[in-house]
Amino acid sequence: MTAATTITTIFITLCLISGQVLCFKVIGCTGGSVMFKCMYKSDEQHNAKPPNQREPNDQHKGKYFCGNRDCTTGISTETQRRWDYNERFALYDDENSRFFTVFIRHLSREDDGKYTCGNKQKWSHDVELVVNNTSSSCGTSVIQTAYIGQTITFSCEYDHKFKKHTKVFYRVKGDPVLVLNSSQSSQSSEEKFILTDRQKDHFTVTIRDISAAERGVYLCGVERDGSDKPPSETSITHITFIKEIELNVSSQITSVQVEAYISKAVFITCKFPQEFIENKKFIQKDSSQKIPVDEQNQWVPHDKVLMYDDTSEGVLKVFIRDLTAADEGTYRCGVNTADDHLFTEITLIVNRVDHFHASSESAAVIGERVKLSCSYPEKHETIKHICKENKKKKRTPKNTSSHQTEERREIMKLLKRRFKSQILNQLTSIRQYSPPHPPLMGSCMLLSVSRSMKSLAAILQSDSEKRRLTGIHDKA
């Protein structure tokens, strides 16, 4: 018999005396976490009194898990029925369970070594903590963001040798709490959490209809013993946590309220996070079926709703015409994601009281001025705009941004030759704004009327200046 064999035999013998397990192995990985139970010895189990008959200073106080005599590495506590913490180490002592639980997070190679767990007065177990750093699928940590109402799925990768092991999913929000394991999980549509273990190298966990309460840190783990084989019923098992997921939960992208009027139209713009610009968008009213936007960068009609998925701006433009009272309600302006969808919630209020005209007619003479009046409710003291409709009343917008820019350059060239520098300075201060172009509109320019514009208008009122501009226009 070799020296190595002798040492191994002695170790096994010392670990198994009178049917008692005096030592055990716990395996983790760098960056990961472990959780294991330190069992009370059999004599303490037999002699323990019922909880209501125990003395205040009985053998259930003074539990510890330590890497050295003074326990500078590890944790000790006399607290019962709640978690006690010492940096990365945590201990929970439930006297009715005949064991206490040790939880160690964010393992490193320095944690590898010999430890002792036990009761300061009665008993102890030797624990060998092995921290591996050879697995690429263990010890990973990710941050993931979800939105309220969304469904999200986590993927937890593991070594193929753990295919037949029980998988677990824990939540750490203060204390570690088991959410579910692979033997408990079901595919019921009513389940909040669903664990699916059908692949050879990973399992997935789905969280449905996320709320703010789901915010926190989650751990994916594998239940095992000191070997790579699936644990038996008599094995002392522990959990090797292979992945940590920090879940941030936000409210829906935004929530807005929009007011419109019966028989009028409304134009809504929904902006999405940059990473979802290329994803398919949709509109949904209340709990009705989604209206998909099947094409991008062109208007897509659906009854009296038109939608434009503008990938250059990262927005979905929605135009609803001929509004009725039935159009009032809550809309979701959404984007499909890998797991489910995100959305902007829009509350549309359709006012019944209408104190302004839906349409009006004005006559004009070529070469002369015409005044157009647009009435609006007093409470809407916002930016106004006037738009020109296509002659053919096409329902696709005309992109006039480049045309407006070129036209402005030509006007500036002409004016530069005819007007004084101070008028030019005033002209350059005129602000121009092109809002998103709704359908049925050929071009739309919003002019912010400033003092500069009024000054220029006063100059242009003279007949001589009108004739000059007419001549310039004819030559152009």
Side-chain angles (χ1 to χ4, degrees), residues 16-71:
L16 296 172
I17 297 179
S18 301
Q20 298 183 32
V21 178
L22 302 182
C23 54
F24 56 93
K25 180 189 290 187
V26 175
I27 304 174
C29 60
T30 53
S33 304
V34 291
M35 180 182 288
F36 59 91
K37 299 172 183 178
C38 191
M39 307 296 297
Y40 294 176
K41 282 189 176 179
S42 59
D43 58 341
E44 183 176 351
Q45 294 179 21
H46 294 317
N47 298 331
K49 298 178 182 179
N52 59 353
Q53 298 180 19
R54 289 175 186 155
E55 300 175 3
N57 297 317
D58 65 8
Q59 66 269 30
H60 293 276
K61 291 190 175 182
K63 302 301 189 301
Y64 67 91
F65 172 77
C66 299
N68 48 32
R69 180 168 295 183
D70 55 4
C71 208

CSV table of all heavy atoms in Angstrom, one decimal, residues 16-71:
chain,number,residue,atom,x,y,z
A,16,LEU,N,-15.9,9.2,8.5
A,16,LEU,CA,-17.0,8.3,8.7
A,16,LEU,C,-16.8,7.5,10.0
A,16,LEU,O,-16.2,6.4,9.9
A,16,LEU,CB,-17.2,7.4,7.5
A,16,LEU,CG,-17.6,8.0,6.2
A,16,LEU,CD1,-17.6,7.0,5.1
A,16,LEU,CD2,-19.0,8.7,6.3
A,17,ILE,N,-17.2,8.0,11.1
A,17,ILE,CA,-17.1,7.3,12.4
A,17,ILE,C,-18.5,7.1,13.0
A,17,ILE,O,-19.2,8.1,13.2
A,17,ILE,CB,-16.2,8.0,13.4
A,17,ILE,CG1,-14.7,8.1,12.8
A,17,ILE,CG2,-16.2,7.4,14.7
A,17,ILE,CD1,-13.8,8.9,13.7
A,18,SER,N,-18.8,5.8,13.2
A,18,SER,CA,-20.1,5.5,13.8
A,18,SER,C,-21.3,6.1,13.0
A,18,SER,O,-22.3,6.5,13.5
A,18,SER,CB,-20.2,6.1,15.3
A,18,SER,OG,-19.2,5.5,16.1
A,19,GLY,N,-21.1,6.0,11.7
A,19,GLY,CA,-22.2,6.5,10.8
A,19,GLY,C,-22.3,8.0,10.7
A,19,GLY,O,-23.2,8.5,10.0
A,20,GLN,N,-21.4,8.7,11.4
A,20,GLN,CA,-21.5,10.2,11.4
A,20,GLN,C,-20.5,10.7,10.3
A,20,GLN,O,-19.4,10.2,10.1
A,20,GLN,CB,-21.1,10.8,12.7
A,20,GLN,CG,-22.1,10.3,13.8
A,20,GLN,CD,-21.7,11.0,15.1
A,20,GLN,OE1,-21.2,12.1,15.1
A,20,GLN,NE2,-21.9,10.3,16.3
A,21,VAL,N,-21.0,11.8,9.7
A,21,VAL,CA,-20.1,12.4,8.7
A,21,VAL,C,-19.4,13.6,9.4
A,21,VAL,O,-20.0,14.5,9.9
A,21,VAL,CB,-21.0,13.0,7.5
A,21,VAL,CG1,-20.1,13.7,6.5
A,21,VAL,CG2,-21.7,11.9,6.8
A,22,LEU,N,-18.1,13.4,9.5
A,22,LEU,CA,-17.3,14.4,10.3
A,22,LEU,C,-16.7,15.5,9.3
A,22,LEU,O,-16.2,16.5,9.8
A,22,LEU,CB,-16.2,13.8,11.1
A,22,LEU,CG,-16.7,12.7,12.1
A,22,LEU,CD1,-15.5,12.2,12.9
A,22,LEU,CD2,-17.7,13.3,13.1
A,23,CYS,N,-16.7,15.2,8.0
A,23,CYS,CA,-16.1,16.1,7.1
A,23,CYS,C,-16.8,16.0,5.7
A,23,CYS,O,-17.3,14.9,5.4
A,23,CYS,CB,-14.6,16.0,7.0
A,23,CYS,SG,-14.1,14.3,6.6
A,24,PHE,N,-16.7,17.0,4.9
A,24,PHE,CA,-17.3,16.9,3.6
A,24,PHE,C,-16.7,18.0,2.7
A,24,PHE,O,-16.0,18.9,3.2
A,24,PHE,CB,-18.8,17.1,3.6
A,24,PHE,CG,-19.3,18.3,4.3
A,24,PHE,CD1,-19.6,19.5,3.6
A,24,PHE,CD2,-19.5,18.4,5.7
A,24,PHE,CE1,-20.0,20.6,4.2
A,24,PHE,CE2,-20.0,19.5,6.3
A,24,PHE,CZ,-20.3,20.7,5.6
A,25,LYS,N,-16.9,17.9,1.4
A,25,LYS,CA,-16.3,18.7,0.4
A,25,LYS,C,-17.4,19.6,-0.2
A,25,LYS,O,-18.5,19.2,-0.5
A,25,LYS,CB,-15.6,17.9,-0.7
A,25,LYS,CG,-14.9,18.8,-1.7
A,25,LYS,CD,-14.4,18.0,-2.9
A,25,LYS,CE,-13.2,17.1,-2.5
A,25,LYS,NZ,-12.6,16.4,-3.6
A,26,VAL,N,-17.0,20.9,-0.4
A,26,VAL,CA,-17.9,21.9,-1.1
A,26,VAL,C,-17.1,22.4,-2.3
A,26,VAL,O,-16.0,22.8,-2.1
A,26,VAL,CB,-18.3,23.0,-0.2
A,26,VAL,CG1,-19.1,24.0,-1.0
A,26,VAL,CG2,-19.2,22.5,1.0
A,27,ILE,N,-17.7,22.4,-3.5
A,27,ILE,CA,-17.0,22.8,-4.7
A,27,ILE,C,-17.7,24.1,-5.3
A,27,ILE,O,-18.9,24.1,-5.5
A,27,ILE,CB,-17.0,21.7,-5.8
A,27,ILE,CG1,-16.4,20.4,-5.2
A,27,ILE,CG2,-16.3,22.1,-7.0
A,27,ILE,CD1,-16.4,19.2,-6.1
A,28,GLY,N,-16.9,25.1,-5.6
A,28,GLY,CA,-17.4,26.3,-6.2
A,28,GLY,C,-16.5,26.7,-7.3
A,28,GLY,O,-15.6,25.9,-7.7
A,29,CYS,N,-16.7,27.9,-7.9
A,29,CYS,CA,-15.8,28.4,-8.9
A,29,CYS,C,-15.6,29.9,-8.7
A,29,CYS,O,-16.3,30.6,-8.1
A,29,CYS,CB,-16.5,28.1,-10.3
A,29,CYS,SG,-18.1,28.9,-10.5
A,30,THR,N,-14.5,30.4,-9.3
A,30,THR,CA,-14.1,31.8,-9.1
A,30,THR,C,-15.2,32.7,-9.7
A,30,THR,O,-15.7,32.5,-10.8
A,30,THR,CB,-12.8,32.1,-9.8
A,30,THR,OG1,-12.9,31.6,-11.2
A,30,THR,CG2,-11.6,31.4,-9.1
A,31,GLY,N,-15.6,33.6,-8.9
A,31,GLY,CA,-16.7,34.5,-9.3
A,31,GLY,C,-18.1,34.0,-9.0
A,31,GLY,O,-19.0,34.8,-9.0
A,32,GLY,N,-18.2,32.8,-8.6
A,32,GLY,CA,-19.5,32.2,-8.3
A,32,GLY,C,-19.8,32.2,-6.8
A,32,GLY,O,-19.1,32.9,-6.0
A,33,SER,N,-20.8,31.5,-6.4
A,33,SER,CA,-21.2,31.4,-4.9
A,33,SER,C,-21.5,29.9,-4.6
A,33,SER,O,-21.7,29.1,-5.5
A,33,SER,CB,-22.4,32.3,-4.7
A,33,SER,OG,-22.1,33.6,-5.1
A,34,VAL,N,-21.5,29.6,-3.3
A,34,VAL,CA,-21.9,28.3,-2.8
A,34,VAL,C,-22.8,28.4,-1.6
A,34,VAL,O,-22.8,29.4,-0.9
A,34,VAL,CB,-20.7,27.5,-2.4
A,34,VAL,CG1,-19.8,27.1,-3.6
A,34,VAL,CG2,-19.8,28.2,-1.4
A,35,MET,N,-23.7,27.4,-1.5
A,35,MET,CA,-24.5,27.3,-0.3
A,35,MET,C,-24.5,25.9,0.2
A,35,MET,O,-24.7,25.0,-0.7
A,35,MET,CB,-25.9,27.8,-0.6
A,35,MET,CG,-26.9,27.7,0.6
A,35,MET,SD,-28.6,28.2,0.1
A,35,MET,CE,-28.3,30.0,0.0
A,36,PHE,N,-24.4,25.6,1.4
A,36,PHE,CA,-24.3,24.3,2.0
A,36,PHE,C,-24.9,24.2,3.4
A,36,PHE,O,-25.0,25.3,4.1
A,36,PHE,CB,-22.9,23.7,1.9
A,36,PHE,CG,-21.9,24.5,2.7
A,36,PHE,CD1,-21.6,24.2,4.0
A,36,PHE,CD2,-21.2,25.5,2.1
A,36,PHE,CE1,-20.7,24.9,4.7
A,36,PHE,CE2,-20.3,26.2,2.8
A,36,PHE,CZ,-20.0,25.9,4.1
A,37,LYS,N,-25.2,23.0,3.8
A,37,LYS,CA,-25.7,22.8,5.2
A,37,LYS,C,-24.7,22.2,6.1
A,37,LYS,O,-24.0,21.2,5.7
A,37,LYS,CB,-27.0,21.9,5.1
A,37,LYS,CG,-28.1,22.4,4.3
A,37,LYS,CD,-29.2,21.4,4.1
A,37,LYS,CE,-30.3,21.9,3.2
A,37,LYS,NZ,-31.4,20.9,3.0
A,38,CYS,N,-24.6,22.7,7.3
A,38,CYS,CA,-23.7,22.1,8.3
A,38,CYS,C,-24.7,21.3,9.3
A,38,CYS,O,-25.4,22.0,10.1
A,38,CYS,CB,-22.9,23.1,9.0
A,38,CYS,SG,-21.6,22.5,10.1
A,39,MET,N,-24.7,20.0,9.2
A,39,MET,CA,-25.7,19.2,10.0
A,39,MET,C,-25.3,19.1,11.4
A,39,MET,O,-24.1,19.0,11.8
A,39,MET,CB,-25.8,17.8,9.4
A,39,MET,CG,-26.1,17.8,7.9
A,39,MET,SD,-27.7,18.5,7.4
A,39,MET,CE,-28.8,17.3,8.3
A,40,TYR,N,-26.3,19.1,12.3
A,40,TYR,CA,-26.0,18.9,13.7
A,40,TYR,C,-25.6,17.4,13.9
A,40,TYR,O,-26.0,16.5,13.1
A,40,TYR,CB,-27.3,19.0,14.6
A,40,TYR,CG,-27.8,20.5,14.7
A,40,TYR,CD1,-29.0,20.7,15.3
A,40,TYR,CD2,-27.1,21.5,14.1
A,40,TYR,CE1,-29.5,22.0,15.4
A,40,TYR,CE2,-27.6,22.8,14.2
A,40,TYR,CZ,-28.8,23.1,14.8
A,40,TYR,OH,-29.3,24.3,14.9
A,41,LYS,N,-24.7,17.1,14.8
A,41,LYS,CA,-24.3,15.7,15.0
A,41,LYS,C,-25.5,14.9,15.6
A,41,LYS,O,-26.4,15.5,16.3
A,41,LYS,CB,-23.1,15.6,15.9
A,41,LYS,CG,-21.8,16.0,15.2
A,41,LYS,CD,-20.6,15.7,16.1
A,41,LYS,CE,-19.3,15.9,15.4
A,41,LYS,NZ,-18.2,15.7,16.3
A,42,SER,N,-25.4,13.6,15.4
A,42,SER,CA,-26.6,12.7,15.7
A,42,SER,C,-26.9,12.8,17.2
A,42,SER,O,-28.0,12.7,17.6
A,42,SER,CB,-26.3,11.3,15.3
A,42,SER,OG,-25.1,10.8,15.9
A,43,ASP,N,-25.9,12.9,18.1
A,43,ASP,CA,-26.2,12.9,19.5
A,43,ASP,C,-26.9,14.2,19.9
A,43,ASP,O,-27.8,14.2,20.8
A,43,ASP,CB,-24.9,12.7,20.3
A,43,ASP,CG,-23.9,13.9,20.0
A,43,ASP,OD1,-24.0,14.5,18.9
A,43,ASP,OD2,-22.9,14.1,20.8
A,44,GLU,N,-26.6,15.3,19.2
A,44,GLU,CA,-27.3,16.5,19.5
A,44,GLU,C,-28.7,16.4,19.0
A,44,GLU,O,-29.6,16.9,19.7
A,44,GLU,CB,-26.6,17.7,18.9
A,44,GLU,CG,-27.2,19.0,19.2
A,44,GLU,CD,-26.5,20.2,18.7
A,44,GLU,OE1,-25.3,20.0,18.2
A,44,GLU,OE2,-27.0,21.3,18.7
A,45,GLN,N,-28.9,15.7,17.9
A,45,GLN,CA,-30.2,15.6,17.3
A,45,GLN,C,-31.1,14.8,18.3
A,45,GLN,O,-32.3,15.1,18.5
A,45,GLN,CB,-30.2,14.9,16.0
A,45,GLN,CG,-29.5,15.8,14.9
A,45,GLN,CD,-29.4,15.0,13.6
A,45,GLN,OE1,-30.2,14.1,13.3
A,45,GLN,NE2,-28.5,15.4,12.7
A,46,HIS,N,-30.6,13.7,18.8
A,46,HIS,CA,-31.3,12.8,19.7
A,46,HIS,C,-31.7,13.5,21.0
A,46,HIS,O,-32.7,13.3,21.6
A,46,HIS,CB,-30.6,11.5,20.0
A,46,HIS,CG,-30.5,10.7,18.7
A,46,HIS,ND1,-31.5,10.5,17.8
A,46,HIS,CD2,-29.4,10.0,18.3
A,46,HIS,CE1,-31.0,9.7,16.8
A,46,HIS,NE2,-29.8,9.4,17.1
A,47,ASN,N,-30.7,14.3,21.5
A,47,ASN,CA,-30.9,14.9,22.9
A,47,ASN,C,-31.6,16.2,22.9
A,47,ASN,O,-31.9,16.8,23.9
A,47,ASN,CB,-29.5,15.0,23.5
A,47,ASN,CG,-28.8,13.7,23.7
A,47,ASN,OD1,-29.5,12.7,23.9
A,47,ASN,ND2,-27.5,13.7,23.7
A,48,ALA,N,-31.8,16.8,21.7
A,48,ALA,CA,-32.4,18.1,21.6
A,48,ALA,C,-33.8,18.1,22.1
A,48,ALA,O,-34.6,17.2,21.8
A,48,ALA,CB,-32.4,18.6,20.2
A,49,LYS,N,-34.2,19.1,22.9
A,49,LYS,CA,-35.5,19.2,23.5
A,49,LYS,C,-36.4,19.9,22.5
A,49,LYS,O,-35.9,20.6,21.6
A,49,LYS,CB,-35.5,19.9,24.8
A,49,LYS,CG,-34.7,19.2,25.9
A,49,LYS,CD,-34.7,20.0,27.1
A,49,LYS,CE,-33.8,19.4,28.2
A,49,LYS,NZ,-33.8,20.2,29.4
A,50,PRO,N,-37.7,19.7,22.7
A,50,PRO,CA,-38.6,20.5,21.8
A,50,PRO,C,-38.4,22.0,22.0
A,50,PRO,O,-37.9,22.4,23.1
A,50,PRO,CB,-40.0,20.2,22.4
A,50,PRO,CG,-39.8,18.8,23.0
A,50,PRO,CD,-38.4,18.8,23.6
A,51,PRO,N,-38.7,22.9,21.0
A,51,PRO,CA,-38.3,24.3,21.1
A,51,PRO,C,-38.9,25.0,22.3
A,51,PRO,O,-38.2,25.8,22.9
A,51,PRO,CB,-39.0,24.8,19.8
A,51,PRO,CG,-39.0,23.7,18.9
A,51,PRO,CD,-39.3,22.5,19.7
A,52,ASN,N,-40.1,24.6,22.8
A,52,ASN,CA,-40.7,25.3,23.9
A,52,ASN,C,-40.1,24.9,25.3
A,52,ASN,O,-40.4,25.4,26.3
A,52,ASN,CB,-42.2,25.1,23.9
A,52,ASN,CG,-42.6,23.6,24.0
A,52,ASN,OD1,-41.7,22.8,23.9
A,52,ASN,ND2,-43.9,23.4,24.1
A,53,GLN,N,-39.2,23.8,25.3
A,53,GLN,CA,-38.6,23.3,26.5
A,53,GLN,C,-37.1,23.7,26.6
A,53,GLN,O,-36.5,23.3,27.6
A,53,GLN,CB,-38.8,21.8,26.6
A,53,GLN,CG,-40.2,21.4,26.7
A,53,GLN,CD,-40.4,19.9,26.8
A,53,GLN,OE1,-39.4,19.2,27.2
A,53,GLN,NE2,-41.6,19.4,26.5
A,54,ARG,N,-36.6,24.3,25.6
A,54,ARG,CA,-35.1,24.6,25.6
A,54,ARG,C,-34.8,25.8,26.5
A,54,ARG,O,-35.5,26.7,26.6
A,54,ARG,CB,-34.7,24.9,24.2
A,54,ARG,CG,-34.7,23.6,23.3
A,54,ARG,CD,-34.3,23.9,21.9
A,54,ARG,NE,-34.5,22.7,21.1
A,54,ARG,CZ,-34.8,22.7,19.8
A,54,ARG,NH1,-34.8,23.9,19.1
A,54,ARG,NH2,-34.9,21.6,19.1
A,55,GLU,N,-33.6,25.6,27.1
A,55,GLU,CA,-33.1,26.7,27.9
A,55,GLU,C,-32.5,27.8,27.1
A,55,GLU,O,-32.1,27.6,25.9
A,55,GLU,CB,-32.1,26.2,28.9
A,55,GLU,CG,-32.6,25.1,29.8
A,55,GLU,CD,-31.5,24.5,30.6
A,55,GLU,OE1,-30.3,25.0,30.5
A,55,GLU,OE2,-31.8,23.5,31.4
A,56,PRO,N,-32.5,29.1,27.6
A,56,PRO,CA,-32.0,30.2,26.8
A,56,PRO,C,-30.6,30.0,26.3
A,56,PRO,O,-30.3,30.4,25.2
A,56,PRO,CB,-32.1,31.3,27.8
A,56,PRO,CG,-33.1,30.9,28.8
A,56,PRO,CD,-33.0,29.5,28.9
A,57,ASN,N,-29.7,29.3,27.0
A,57,ASN,CA,-28.3,29.2,26.6
A,57,ASN,C,-28.0,27.7,26.2
A,57,ASN,O,-27.0,27.1,26.7
A,57,ASN,CB,-27.4,29.6,27.7
A,57,ASN,CG,-27.6,31.1,28.1
A,57,ASN,OD1,-27.7,31.9,27.1
A,57,ASN,ND2,-27.6,31.4,29.3
A,58,ASP,N,-28.9,27.1,25.5
A,58,ASP,CA,-28.7,25.7,25.1
A,58,ASP,C,-27.7,25.6,24.0
A,58,ASP,O,-27.1,26.5,23.5
A,58,ASP,CB,-30.0,25.0,24.8
A,58,ASP,CG,-30.7,25.6,23.5
A,58,ASP,OD1,-30.0,26.4,22.9
A,58,ASP,OD2,-31.8,25.2,23.3
A,59,GLN,N,-27.5,24.3,23.5
A,59,GLN,CA,-26.5,24.0,22.5
A,59,GLN,C,-26.7,24.6,21.2
A,59,GLN,O,-25.9,24.5,20.3
A,59,GLN,CB,-26.4,22.5,22.4
A,59,GLN,CG,-27.6,21.8,21.8
A,59,GLN,CD,-28.6,21.3,22.8
A,59,GLN,OE1,-28.7,22.0,23.9
A,59,GLN,NE2,-29.3,20.3,22.6
A,60,HIS,N,-27.9,25.2,20.9
A,60,HIS,CA,-28.2,25.8,19.6
A,60,HIS,C,-27.6,27.1,19.4
A,60,HIS,O,-27.7,27.7,18.3
A,60,HIS,CB,-29.7,25.8,19.3
A,60,HIS,CG,-30.3,24.4,19.3
A,60,HIS,ND1,-30.3,23.7,18.1
A,60,HIS,CD2,-30.8,23.7,20.2
A,60,HIS,CE1,-30.9,22.5,18.4
A,60,HIS,NE2,-31.2,22.5,19.6
A,61,LYS,N,-27.0,27.7,20.4
A,61,LYS,CA,-26.3,29.0,20.2
A,61,LYS,C,-24.9,28.8,19.8
A,61,LYS,O,-24.3,27.7,20.1
A,61,LYS,CB,-26.5,29.8,21.5
A,61,LYS,CG,-27.9,30.3,21.7
A,61,LYS,CD,-28.0,31.3,22.8
A,61,LYS,CE,-29.4,31.8,23.0
A,61,LYS,NZ,-29.5,32.9,24.0
A,62,GLY,N,-24.3,29.8,19.3
A,62,GLY,CA,-22.8,29.8,19.0
A,62,GLY,C,-22.4,29.0,17.8
A,62,GLY,O,-21.5,28.2,17.9
A,63,LYS,N,-23.1,29.1,16.7
A,63,LYS,CA,-22.8,28.4,15.5
A,63,LYS,C,-21.7,29.2,14.7
A,63,LYS,O,-21.6,30.4,14.8
A,63,LYS,CB,-24.0,28.2,14.6
A,63,LYS,CG,-25.2,27.5,15.2
A,63,LYS,CD,-24.7,26.1,15.7
A,63,LYS,CE,-25.9,25.2,16.1
A,63,LYS,NZ,-26.6,25.8,17.2
A,64,TYR,N,-20.9,28.5,13.9
A,64,TYR,CA,-19.8,29.2,13.2
A,64,TYR,C,-19.4,28.4,12.0
A,64,TYR,O,-19.6,27.2,11.8
A,64,TYR,CB,-18.6,29.3,14.1
A,64,TYR,CG,-17.9,28.0,14.5
A,64,TYR,CD1,-16.9,27.5,13.7
A,64,TYR,CD2,-18.3,27.3,15.6
A,64,TYR,CE1,-16.3,26.3,14.0
A,64,TYR,CE2,-17.7,26.1,15.9
A,64,TYR,CZ,-16.7,25.6,15.1
A,64,TYR,OH,-16.1,24.4,15.4
A,65,PHE,N,-18.8,29.1,11.1
A,65,PHE,CA,-18.1,28.6,9.9
A,65,PHE,C,-16.8,29.4,9.8
A,65,PHE,O,-16.8,30.6,9.5
A,65,PHE,CB,-18.9,28.7,8.6
A,65,PHE,CG,-18.1,28.3,7.4
A,65,PHE,CD1,-17.9,26.9,7.1
A,65,PHE,CD2,-17.6,29.2,6.5
A,65,PHE,CE1,-17.2,26.5,6.0
A,65,PHE,CE2,-16.9,28.8,5.4
A,65,PHE,CZ,-16.7,27.5,5.1
A,66,CYS,N,-15.6,28.8,10.0
A,66,CYS,CA,-14.4,29.6,10.1
A,66,CYS,C,-13.3,28.9,9.4
A,66,CYS,O,-13.2,27.6,9.3
A,66,CYS,CB,-14.0,29.7,11.6
A,66,CYS,SG,-15.2,30.6,12.6
A,67,GLY,N,-12.3,29.7,8.9
A,67,GLY,CA,-11.2,29.2,8.2
A,67,GLY,C,-9.9,29.2,9.1
A,67,GLY,O,-8.9,28.7,8.7
A,68,ASN,N,-10.1,29.8,10.3
A,68,ASN,CA,-8.9,29.8,11.3
A,68,ASN,C,-9.5,29.9,12.7
A,68,ASN,O,-10.7,30.0,12.9
A,68,ASN,CB,-8.0,30.9,11.0
A,68,ASN,CG,-8.7,32.3,10.8
A,68,ASN,OD1,-9.7,32.5,11.4
A,68,ASN,ND2,-8.1,33.1,10.0
A,69,ARG,N,-8.6,29.8,13.7
A,69,ARG,CA,-9.1,29.7,15.1
A,69,ARG,C,-9.9,30.9,15.5
A,69,ARG,O,-10.9,30.8,16.2
A,69,ARG,CB,-7.9,29.4,16.0
A,69,ARG,CG,-8.3,29.3,17.4
A,69,ARG,CD,-7.1,28.7,18.3
A,69,ARG,NE,-6.8,27.4,17.9
A,69,ARG,CZ,-5.8,26.6,18.4
A,69,ARG,NH1,-5.1,27.1,19.4
A,69,ARG,NH2,-5.6,25.4,18.0
A,70,ASP,N,-9.4,32.1,15.2
A,70,ASP,CA,-10.0,33.3,15.6
A,70,ASP,C,-11.2,33.7,14.7
A,70,ASP,O,-11.8,34.8,14.9
A,70,ASP,CB,-9.0,34.5,15.8
A,70,ASP,CG,-8.3,34.7,14.5
A,70,ASP,OD1,-8.5,34.1,13.5
A,70,ASP,OD2,-7.4,35.6,14.6
A,71,CYS,N,-11.4,33.0,13.7
A,71,CYS,CA,-12.6,33.2,12.7
A,71,CYS,C,-12.5,34.5,12.1
A,71,CYS,O,-13.6,35.2,11.8
A,71,CYS,CB,-13.9,33.0,13.5
A,71,CYS,SG,-15.2,32.4,12.4
